[in-house]
Amino acid sequence: MAIKGLKSNYYKYPVKYHELTEEQCETIINASLRIMENIGLVIKHERARTMLKDAGCTVDGETVRFPKELVIDCINSAAKELVLYDRNGNKALQVSGTNTYFGLGPTNPFTNDFETGERRKACRKDVKNSVLVADACPNIDFMMGLAQVQDCDIRISDVVEMREMLENTTKPIVGWGVNVQGLKDQVEMCAAVAGGIDKLREKPFLSLFPGCPVSPLIIAENEFEKIEYSIQEGFSIVWSSGAQLGTVTPVTIAGAFSLNLAEIFAGIVLAQLIKKGSCVVCGVVVLTVDMGTTQAAYGSPEHCIGEAMSADIFHYLDLPMWQTAGVTDSKSADEQSAIECSMGALINTISGGHMVHDVGFLDGAMSASLDQIVLNDEIIGYAKRVARGITIDEETLAYDVIEEVGPGGEFLTSEHTAENFREEFWFPKLIDRSRYTIWEEKKEDMRTRVHNRTAKILAEHKPEPLSEEVIRKLDAILEEAQKRLS
């Protein structure tokens, strides 16, 4: 059932778990192409519609229908890999294959105060603390601000967020924009840190998130303008759609996914028409809508199914992908959070998802928690060890060692044990494996251990500083943005 003009890469990247067969991937892709060709999408921006018409699309008012051949050509011309660097120019993320990376999420209106535990509006200091904590966590690979800053003018909350991220981490950053001007300000900030825009483009530590399609099947004016700016400036974009089952998409996961995938394909077409070969990190996030509460649920098994489907589809297409885990519907970093985050992290690692965001979210992506970051750092480490699997060769089969020790012997003092245990074992930072008599002295439960580790990071971790000159440049850009508003 191969799709004409579209090469299958389904078997190119062996993974430990598939949700879809190769044929099922093709069925869903074909359904999306059919939606685009027959139903079409509403494209709100006139310049975008003109560009699409010139490329062979049928335009009827604001509705654009996409010929299948154009969509396939644009998928084939899109970049197959994204490489992001850290602030110091070292390669940090190679977003392709089965490489899985985890990062924070964006635009959270609330946070659980670290000292009091009370839910309150997110502030600028919360971005600083979230990024500082994540900077110290070895399994958090890229940054977002984990908050929509509300103690500033909301129109520049994205710029304020970038200012705090740049000072508190060297890890790669995904920046979101309220509008094109916000993205321009952020790019200018990152260029100041990199030592110039050319150096930033040469070794980017920044990818841009222009927003999402409006389901079902609408791309808004502002989102197109942000896509256009980002691609023209030479940066990769994250383009992700969120299926809310039974509300803005069909209730069936297959129908919802095919609809959202059509929205993602439309973004790929726009990006390739702006600049052929540009990089689009693609995502479809499947959310259950609880029919009892009408709340969108991130911690559901349907969400995990959607993550694995997304991995299969974008591996088939050989495109970099945007995933979701580390988020819970619980209101605190508790046992429910641990269950939901563990399933999401494990599914993404064993299915070979790429950039997995939203680590640190609570309450279905309405609130955030520093403890949630630290808890997930432990969970992700566990999941990565499972995904890594084992090596089977002469060394690991250990026949000579077994022969030497023989029946009734012991392996604890064997050189083979000393040489291999550090590679074979995963070493937790928070999970308790002590004897009961040792644990009994403190009787600390997991929540306490998580909170104490977070407190230690806040007190002791010092991110690599920026120079005073760069700090002044960042502050000047932010001050100029504030002046524009008044």
Side-chain angles (χ1 to χ4, degrees):
M1 191 189 167
I3 301 170
K4 185 179 178 181
L6 202 56
K7 178 185 175 183
S8 169
N9 294 277
Y10 183 85
Y11 294 106
K12 183 178 178 180
Y13 305 114
V15 297
K16 291 183 168 55
Y17 176 72
H18 287 288
E19 183 63 43
L20 302 175
T21 65
E22 182 181 37
E23 186 176 358
Q24 287 174 326
C25 288
E26 290 165 349
T27 299
I28 289 175
I29 292 167
N30 270 322
S32 300
L33 294 171
R34 185 181 176 198
I35 290 169
M36 298 181 76
E37 196 160 40
N38 296 334
I39 301 171
L41 285 85
V42 169
I43 308 295
K44 289 291 187 178
H45 203 291
E46 184 178 358
R47 186 163 62 251
R49 293 194 299 271
T50 300
M51 184 171 63
L52 291 166
K53 184 177 181 180
D54 291 345
C57 295
T58 302
V59 178
D60 181 9
E62 292 185 336
T63 301
V64 178
R65 294 178 178 85
F66 296 71
K68 180 178 179 179
E69 295 74 20
L70 173 66
V71 181
I72 289 174
D73 285 347
C74 289
I75 291 170
N76 288 334
S77 71
K80 306 307 178 190
E81 179 178 78
L82 169 63
V83 176
L84 290 177
Y85 297 79
D86 66 19
R87 200 173 74 191
N88 297 316
N90 304 304
K91 186 183 289 188
L93 310 184
Q94 188 169 346
V95 185
S96 62
T98 58
N99 299 329
T100 304
Y101 305 101
F102 288 82
L104 307 186
T107 62
N108 236 318
F110 299 100
T111 193
N112 285 18
D113 189 276
F114 181 71
E115 299 297 335
T116 67
E118 295 297 315
R119 189 184 198 234
R120 57 167 172 75
K121 288 183 178 180
C123 302
R124 181 173 176 172
K125 69 176 182 180
D126 297 316
V127 176
K128 174 183 177 180
N129 288 336
S130 296
V131 172
L132 185 145
V133 167
D135 188 66
C137 290
N139 295 302
I140 307 299
D141 304 296
F142 64 91
M143 296 296 180
M144 299 187 85
L146 210 60
Q148 180 149 12
V149 179
Q150 309 218 15
D151 56 347
C152 70
D153 191 307
I154 200 74
R155 292 172 292 175
I156 58 166
S157 57
D158 53 340
V159 184
V160 171
E161 180 179 310
M162 181 60 74
R163 166 67 182 81
E164 291 301 323
M165 287 196 288
L166 287 170
E167 189 173 5
N168 288 286
T169 189
T170 59
K171 295 180 181 181
I173 290 171
V174 177
W176 65 278
V178 172
N179 49 37
V180 169
Q181 185 58 55
L183 291 180
K184 288 179 178 179
D185 290 336
Q186 292 176 70
V187 168
E188 188 179 354
M189 284 182 169
C190 291
V193 170
I197 188 66
D198 290 340
K199 289 184 178 180
L200 179 62
R201 291 188 181 118
E202 180 186 356
K203 290 188 173 182
F205 56 80
L206 173 70
S207 185
L208 295 174
F209 181 24
C212 302
V214 181
S215 295
L217 302 172
I218 298 172
I219 297 180
E221 277 193 284
N222 192 32
E223 272 54 56
F224 169 72
E225 289 175 353
K226 288 184 284 183
I227 291 172
E228 184 180 47
Y229 166 78
S230 302
I231 297 298
Q232 286 177 342
E233 288 298 309
F235 294 100
S236 60
I237 63 166
V238 170
W239 184 240
S240 177
S241 192
Q244 296 188 32
L245 301 176
T247 55
V248 295
T249 66
V251 73
T252 52
I253 298 174
F257 201 101
S258 63
L259 183 149
N260 279 166
L261 188 60
E263 296 168 348
I264 300 310
F265 285 168
I268 292 173
V269 171
L270 289 169
Q272 298 311 301
L273 293 179
I274 294 165
K275 185 183 292 185
K276 191 173 182 179
S278 56
C279 182
V280 181
V281 184
C282 309
V284 173
V285 182
V286 172
L287 299 177
T288 302
V289 176
D290 189 294
M291 293 300 172
T293 64
T294 68
Q295 288 284 101
Y298 277 82
S300 69
E302 295 80 27
H303 172 250
C304 290
I305 290 169
E307 292 299 292
M309 288 175 66
S310 188
D312 284 334
I313 292 287
F314 293 115
H315 280 144
Y316 181 104
L317 298 169
D318 204 11
L319 294 172
M321 69 188 85
W322 186 247
Q323 311 282 89
T324 304
V327 58
T328 178
D329 299 307
S330 180
K331 310 309 179 280
S332 64
D334 60 6
E335 293 81 359
Q336 177 182 333
S337 168
I339 292 168
E340 293 175 340
C341 293
S342 294
M343 293 304 295
L346 183 61
I347 287 294
N348 273 289
T349 52
I350 63 176
S351 62
H354 291 161
M355 295 181 73
V356 187
H357 82 307
D358 281 358
V359 172
F361 277 8
L362 301 169
D363 189 21
M366 288 299 292
S367 191
S369 160
L370 300 181
D371 284 344
Q372 177 79 337
I373 300 171
V374 172
L375 174 60
N376 271 278
D377 185 57
E378 187 87 338
I379 290 168
I380 294 163
Y382 194 130
K384 284 183 175 180
R385 175 61 190 96
V386 173
R388 179 162 60 89
I390 64 170
T391 300
I392 300 177
D393 57 20
E394 286 300 312
E395 173 69 12
T396 61
L397 287 170
Y399 178 86
D400 293 342
V401 182
I402 296 168
E403 183 179 44
E404 180 183 340
V405 171
E410 53 81 22
F411 295 86
L412 185 62
T413 58
S414 166
E415 285 188 15
H416 183 270
T417 300
E419 290 169 356
N420 287 280
F421 81 93
R422 290 180 180 84
E423 177 67 17
E424 199 75 4
F425 296 166
W426 170 70
F427 295 91
K429 293 183 175 65
L430 294 168
I431 289 173
D432 179 64
R433 294 173 172 174
S434 64
R435 292 185 177 88
Y436 184 86
T437 52
I438 301 298
W439 173 84
E440 193 177 24
E441 294 176 8
K442 292 184 178 180
K443 294 185 178 179
E444 288 183 344
D445 61 13
M446 187 62 160
R447 293 193 202 189
T448 303
R449 293 195 296 274
V450 168
H451 197 71
N452 288 345
R453 177 163 173 75
T454 308
K456 183 178 175 65
I457 291 172
L458 286 171
E460 298 179 2
H461 181 65
K462 304 297 180 188
E464 185 179 320
L466 293 169
S467 70
E468 289 299 321
E469 180 184 3
V470 169
I471 291 288
R472 285 194 295 271
K473 288 181 180 178
L474 299 184
D475 288 339
I477 295 166
L478 180 56
E479 287 169 14
E480 187 61 33
Q482 290 168 333
K483 287 177 184 177
R484 281 197 306 270
L485 299 180
S486 59

